[in-house]
Amino acid sequence: MTTATRGRRAGAAAGLALALIALAGCTGERTASPAATPASTPTAGTPGFVVPDGEPEVVASGFTTPWSVAFVGDTALVSQRDTGEILEIVGDDTRVVGEVPDLAARGEGGLLGLAHDDGFLYAYVTTPDGNRVSRFALEGSAGSFALGAAQTVVDGIPSANTHNGGRLAFGPDGMLYVTAGDAGDPDAAQDPESLGGKILRVTPEGDVPADNPLVGSPVWSMGHRNPQGLGWDAEGTLFSSEFGQNTWDELNVIEPGANYGWPEVEGTGGDDRFVDPVQQWAPVDASPSGLAVVDGSVLIANLRGQRLRVVPAADPTSAREFFVGEFGRLRDAVLAPDGSLWIVTSNTDRGGGGDDAVLRVPLTAG
């Protein structure tokens, strides 16, 4: 975050605390989650609903702990969490574009999300001092891309071996959205002065937009445990997937200034202080990671659940599942420029042997 932004945050701290505490409501005993209602199957003709068409093919393989894909025109760049390398896919092979500085890869931390905008590549990086969003001028052209010097966009995001968040996405408003986990400190999610357990919204340079919920604060929403995927439908609705603890993983519709309840509520709590998820799943069937919103479908990559789950934006209580157990853990789902869906596998991130791949599958009307 820029020096000016940090100054505004410090100056607004007292007012921010009062306002966000009002949004959060008082804290108390954690609310138990009720039993889940099984998701229904979308009916034929659901508006704009798209699904995978056939079996995925391998775009490139040989990756170790791949985490995110960002497209620069037709060229795909892939982050590797534990090595800090950004790889460019060239044909069915890869080349190293560069390595991020100050990497402190540990547990679930390291080089995580990527995003591209206006000649800059943005990266979410775990450093010795916490999680940071940096950007790099992208030099050269397809087949010879290189990174310029690092510029800090946001810092001061808590880090830990787990719950680092890490997804980056530019919204239809041109702002940069950042998912930040609670870094193993659940109380941070309800602390208005912590960036942990939040979704953040900043300008491409890291300043706080004037129309954020609270003056001087990058916080867009709060009460998150470990938010992951981000994506918008054609109406501008923001969807986010989130890792729960032991009971419920979530799909949320994100509203500015809203509180999603963690750690007071996990999953649906029915507490009017908090916003309930539009769908929840047992972690054994989910651990929802990256997502893409395409023509009315929210397509979610799942790690522990080892499946691609497709949720219609028009009826987010329903879902269909694809490729269950076929490719192992799935880390990210990304819309490619040609309209196909790219899927990142994640089977090497917990000491697994072999390597990981980026897959491609066409989409068709559901």
Side-chain angles (χ1 to χ4, degrees), residues 163-180:
H163 310 179
N164 288 287
R167 197 69 57 185
L168 302 178
F170 279 92
D173 55 7
M175 297 295 111
L176 177 64
Y177 291 73
V178 182
T179 69

Side-chain angles (χ1 to χ4, degrees), residues 321-335:
E321 297 177 351
F322 298 85
F323 318 129
V324 179
E326 291 185 36
F327 303 102
R329 293 160 54 85
L330 306 182
R331 172 68 66 180
D332 202 7
V334 183
L335 179 65

Side-chain angles (χ1 to χ4, degrees), residues 39-40 239 251 253 277-281 298 311-319:
S40 61
F239 291 89
L251 178 65
V253 169
V278 293
Q279 194 168 155
Q280 62 185 21
W281 311 279
V298 184
V311 175
D315 179 17
T317 63
S318 62

Side-chain angles (χ1 to χ4, degrees), residues 298-323:
V298 184
L299 302 110
I300 309 167
N302 289 268
L303 291 162
R304 189 175 173 191
Q306 300 188 12
R307 68 197 69 189
L308 182 75
R309 181 173 278 113
V310 183
V311 175
D315 179 17
T317 63
S318 62
R320 290 177 63 183
E321 297 177 351
F322 298 85
F323 318 129

Side-chain angles (χ1 to χ4, degrees), residues 32-229:
S33 297
T37 300
S40 61
T41 300
T43 59
T46 299
F49 191 56
V50 297
V51 296
D53 183 13
E55 288 294 309
E57 61 180 6
V58 175
V59 175
S61 59
F63 297 98
T64 301
T65 61
W67 212 92
S68 178
V69 174
F71 280 95
V72 183
D74 292 329
T75 300
L77 303 181
V78 182
S79 62
Q80 291 200 139
R81 186 190 69 193
D82 295 348
T83 68
E85 294 173 315
I86 296 169
L87 305 181
E88 177 182 3
I89 296 179
V90 181
D92 59 359
D93 204 355
T94 62
R95 58 173 293 273
V96 177
V97 171
E99 296 182 23
V100 297
D102 302 325
L103 182 74
R106 56 190 178 118
E108 296 172 3
L111 171 57
L112 304 180
L114 298 178
H116 174 260
D117 180 68
D118 196 26
F120 287 94
L121 186 68
Y122 292 73
Y124 188 107
V125 184
T126 306
T127 76
D129 299 321
N131 287 311
R132 174 192 306 163
V133 179
S134 298
R135 71 175 187 174
F136 308 82
L138 198 56
E139 301 170 348
S141 57
S144 62
F145 279 126
L147 301 180
Q151 304 172 18
T152 299
V153 177
V154 182
D155 59 10
I157 303 172
S159 67
N161 284 346
T162 58
H163 310 179
N164 288 287
R167 197 69 57 185
L168 302 178
F170 279 92
D173 55 7
M175 297 295 111
L176 177 64
Y177 291 73
V178 182
T179 69
D182 69 10
D185 176 13
D187 291 340
Q190 294 295 327
D191 179 358
E193 296 190 54
S194 172
L195 299 186
K198 311 293 193 298
I199 293 176
L200 312 177
R201 177 182 184 255
V202 296
T203 70
E205 297 75 29
D207 294 316
V208 175
D211 59 346
N212 267 17
L214 294 167
V215 175
S217 172
V219 173
W220 190 245
S221 62
M222 64 185 296
H224 300 287
R225 180 176 181 268
N226 195 8
Q228 292 289 302

Side-chain angles (χ1 to χ4, degrees), residues 13-23 192 214:
L16 171 62
L18 291 172
L20 276 180
I21 287 169
L23 284 172
L214 294 167

Side-chain angles (χ1 to χ4, degrees), residues 242-279:
E242 183 165 338
F243 294 149
Q245 185 171 337
N246 300 315
T247 311
W248 301 123
D249 292 334
E250 301 176 359
L251 178 65
N252 288 301
V253 169
I254 304 300
E255 298 290 344
N259 189 327
Y260 290 81
W262 176 256
E264 304 305 315
V265 175
E266 180 183 356
T268 300
D271 187 325
D272 60 11
R273 296 174 298 166
F274 309 123
V275 178
D276 283 339
V278 293
Q279 194 168 155

